[in-house]
Amino acid sequence: MNRLKQFIAEIHRRSLWQVLLIYCGAALVAYQAVQALTEGLGLPQWFPAFAIVLFIVGLPVVVATAFVQEGVRGPRRPETLPPFVAGPGAGEAPEPAVREARGAHHQIFTWRNAGLGVVIALGMWGVVATGWLLLADRTEPEQIEAAEEMRKSLAVLPFDNLSPDPENEFFTDGMHDEIIAHLSRIADLKVISRTSVMEYKGKSGNLRTIAEELEVTNILEGTVRRANGRVRITTQLIDALADEHLWTEVYDRSLSDVFAVQSDVAEQVAAALRAELTAAERERIEEIPTDNLEAYEFYLRGMEYWRRPGWLAENYRSAQRMLEQAVELDPSFVLAHVWLSIVHSLIYFFGHDHTEERLWLARAAADRALELDPDLPEGHLALGHYFYRGFRAYDQALEELAVAEQGLPGDAELLTARGFIYRRQGRWEEAIANLQRAAELDPRDANRFVILGYTHGFLRRYGEAERYHDKALAVEPEYELAVYARAQNRYWRDGDLELLRAYVSAYPDAHFRRWGLEVLS
């Protein structure tokens, strides 16, 4: 017990508590400086933690040094000691002058030890930081990934129809759409969706400007000429930012070879951009959807009606008729069954025919597609629409969409459907992530920005909501739904009715309300 008391007394005598407090205080100030330097110099986020480790390691060293250093110094020389007062107890206690000298000695010693420890730790941190600034590759993994994705990004501009018969326009558009679909199946590529690129149909423009608007590096252009049972397709891939031709090819084939042309274009583009093409992706790209060219024409016509904007009943019913003709001519035409199922689901969802029979038709077409090809991603996409659009069976729909995504990694419509489902489930951040990715793949579709704006508005992030509504209006200045959405958001945020009054005056009919709010809810 006496030894413990002597040890504690020795700690007090050597001012170790002061060393500890001074060291911790100085370390705290130094840590604030480290944080400022980390941010100012663009150092990695682990540098402040590294400084803490150095300060922790230095603490016991400083305390131990303070404890033993006086003993190491040895006794003072006699001539340096003040004289003692003779008499009783002489030699047992120094005079006040002696105590004052020793106190000053300990105070200087305490500050020196603590300060020197902090300086050494901070110096070691500075050496590491300087070495990192001079030698390290400071490119963040996220930046590397973004740069790689940008290098492998492309937009397929609408092909020009050079056929003698203007009626072949649908065929040219079909070739364009199918090549986009083939490229979108390659997970290592970022391919802009059809909606965004169709804005440039029939227009000539600077490719660099178009690439910057679509946020891609590469542009694929092409022409199609169909006549006398033959097709001539010319394609060229251009690095628009570097103004460099990467690949070009002219296909002069029999009409029956059109599927081989589509597959070859996708594979050649992937090779030119050094994108990884898996065996499963190659197999899916090279599949021939039908041997019946007449059925394929009806399929292309049906898809043209389905893609028309507005969610209108007449377009869906025309698409239904064309796709029914396709499966009648070729009952094993899997993709025709898939899109026939999706059309039935949308007719039901938008209230054009809200009957049990319509739902039965949607399920029957999806089941037939998966019976023909159980692994078909589009078949699971059709079932995802069926469960979501028909029954609000969200978990079942998500399961089907997850299977579909394995073969359709760059499908903006799939991402949007999943974003809607997450939103209805209250999984807001997951909803925003999916809707944001869909907007990146379709940056010229104003409706995608409106959807994102509404989603942020539901979360009371009104500033972010207005930013997306402004993006929508930048793409399409007269888009009625975007005008209304921004006015509504301003009312939610500020109670300001001015923009809503202006909207009512500008759009007295407001025809979109019948279906628009259903889509955005």
Side-chain angles (χ1 to χ4, degrees):
M1 192 65 178
N2 289 334
R3 289 184 178 181
L4 178 61
K5 288 181 178 180
Q6 290 175 358
F7 180 73
I8 294 174
E10 194 69 13
I11 288 176
H12 282 290
R13 191 179 71 80
R14 296 170 189 265
S15 305
L16 295 186
W17 301 120
Q18 293 181 40
V19 170
L20 181 64
L21 290 173
I22 293 169
Y23 181 85
C24 290
L28 181 61
V29 173
Y31 178 71
Q32 300 295 327
V34 164
Q35 285 187 311
L37 287 170
T38 298
E39 183 176 351
L41 297 175
L43 297 171
Q45 293 304 310
W46 54 266
F47 262 85
F50 174 60
I52 292 175
V53 171
L54 289 176
F55 293 140
I56 292 173
V57 170
L59 179 60
V61 175
V62 168
V63 173
T65 304
F67 192 82
V68 303
Q69 186 167 352
E70 185 174 298
V72 172
R73 289 167 57 92
R76 294 199 209 167
R77 290 175 299 174
E79 62 270 18
T80 63
L81 296 174
F84 287 88
V85 178
E92 295 180 4
E95 287 291 337
V98 176
R99 290 197 299 269
E100 184 178 349
R102 287 183 179 176
H105 166 72
H106 283 307
Q107 187 175 14
I108 293 171
F109 177 70
T110 297
W111 280 94
R112 187 194 65 190
N113 251 33
L116 187 60
V118 173
V119 169
I120 291 173
L122 192 59
M124 292 175 65
W125 182 89
V127 170
V128 175
T130 302
W132 188 89
L133 288 171
L134 294 175
L135 304 175
D137 181 3
R138 295 187 292 277
T139 305
E140 295 289 338
E142 294 81 4
Q143 294 175 313
I144 296 173
E145 184 178 348
E148 185 67 8
E149 181 180 10
M150 190 64 178
R151 185 181 67 78
K152 298 177 182 178
S153 62
L154 77 151
V156 185
L157 297 187
F159 290 178
D160 293 328
N161 177 33
L162 303 183
S163 306
D165 185 357
E167 285 296 315
N168 280 320
E169 186 74 28
F170 83 92
F171 183 83
T172 298
D173 289 343
M175 292 300 97
H176 170 251
D177 297 343
E178 291 300 299
I179 287 173
I180 290 178
H182 278 54
L183 290 167
S184 297
R185 293 187 178 101
I186 303 174
D188 204 27
L189 290 177
K190 174 190 174 183
V191 184
I192 299 302
S193 294
R194 176 187 185 276
T195 310
S196 288
V197 297
M198 289 306 292
E199 174 185 340
Y200 303 96
K201 184 176 175 64
K203 298 179 181 178
S204 59
N206 182 278
L207 290 184
R208 183 183 182 89
T209 300
I210 294 173
E212 290 172 349
E213 290 175 348
L214 295 174
E215 299 178 1
V216 297
T217 297
N218 307 288
I219 297 290
L220 181 66
E221 294 183 306
T223 64
V224 178
R225 177 183 174 86
R226 178 190 179 191
N228 302 320
R230 295 191 65 81
V231 62
R232 183 183 179 87
I233 300 177
T234 302
T235 55
Q236 60 176 348
L237 179 66
I238 301 168
D239 182 334
L241 301 185
D243 192 21
E244 177 184 357
H245 277 72
L246 302 178
W247 169 78
T248 186
E249 188 64 73
V250 177
Y251 300 92
D252 196 347
R253 306 283 183 86
S254 167
L255 196 58
S256 60
D257 289 336
V258 68
F259 304 118
V261 173
Q262 295 169 3
S263 301
D264 191 65
V265 169
E267 292 176 11
Q268 293 295 337
V269 168
L273 297 181
R274 300 194 297 279
E276 180 183 356
L277 183 61
T278 67
E281 289 169 347
R282 187 183 301 276
E283 181 181 355
R284 185 63 64 185
I285 286 171
E286 293 178 351
E287 284 182 352
I288 296 176
T290 179
D291 293 324
N292 190 313
L293 291 178
E294 187 179 0
Y296 187 64
E297 286 202 19
F298 276 111
Y299 167 77
L300 293 180
R301 291 183 185 274
M303 295 301 290
E304 194 276 327
Y305 279 113
W306 177 80
R307 291 188 176 104
R308 290 184 181 182
W311 299 284
L312 301 179
E314 54 266 32
N315 290 334
Y316 286 140
R317 294 192 186 279
S318 295
Q320 176 190 337
R321 288 194 298 271
M322 296 297 106
L323 293 168
E324 286 173 341
Q325 286 285 337
V327 297
E328 183 178 339
L329 289 167
D330 182 1
S332 63
F333 192 171
V334 185
L335 288 177
H337 286 290
V338 164
W339 293 104
L340 182 57
S341 172
I342 293 174
V343 166
H344 284 310
S345 293
L346 293 174
I347 289 174
Y348 177 88
F349 181 76
F350 289 117
H352 303 316
D353 179 14
H354 204 72
T355 64
E356 292 295 322
E357 181 184 3
R358 183 63 62 177
L359 281 179
W360 183 88
L361 291 170
R363 183 59 189 261
D367 286 346
R368 178 57 178 156
L370 288 171
E371 179 185 340
L372 292 166
D373 186 350
D375 298 324
L376 183 72
E378 290 87 349
H380 292 281
L381 177 64
L383 273 184
H385 276 281
Y386 168 76
F387 286 123
Y388 167 47
R389 307 289 187 182
F391 299 96
R392 303 293 197 272
Y394 302 136
D395 290 338
Q396 288 172 284
L398 287 173
E399 289 176 7
E400 297 297 335
L401 292 178
V403 176
E405 188 179 26
Q406 295 177 19
L408 302 169
D411 192 294
E413 295 301 331
L414 186 153
L415 292 165
T416 300
R418 189 164 59 193
F420 283 153
I421 294 171
Y422 282 148
R423 197 170 68 177
R424 288 175 180 268
Q425 291 182 318
R427 298 163 65 176
W428 293 100
E429 297 307 324
E430 291 168 284
I432 288 172
N434 278 268
L435 296 172
Q436 179 64 46
R437 180 58 178 167
E440 290 171 2
L441 294 171
D442 208 355
R444 302 297 292 176
D445 185 348
N447 200 51
R448 299 199 187 278
F449 294 121
V450 173
I451 292 168
L452 274 164
Y454 265 112
T455 305
H456 282 286
F458 295 152
L459 293 172
R460 299 183 181 179
R461 300 173 183 172
Y462 301 123
E464 193 71 5
E466 182 151 332
R467 185 173 73 86
Y468 279 111
H469 295 322
D470 288 344
K471 277 190 170 185
L473 290 168
V475 172
E476 194 172 338
E478 301 300 323
Y479 185 32
E480 176 187 346
L481 188 55
V483 174
Y484 175 74
R486 185 174 64 169
Q488 189 179 44
N489 183 69
R490 191 72 62 83
Y491 172 69
W492 287 346
R493 186 185 70 183
D494 304 326
D496 185 357
L497 288 170
E498 182 179 350
L499 287 180
L500 279 173
R501 291 193 184 99
Y503 166 77
V504 171
S505 299
Y507 302 93
D509 296 334
H511 68 278
F512 81 88
R513 289 176 182 167
R514 177 171 57 86
W515 45 262
L517 294 181
E518 175 66 21
V519 175
L520 298 168
S521 63

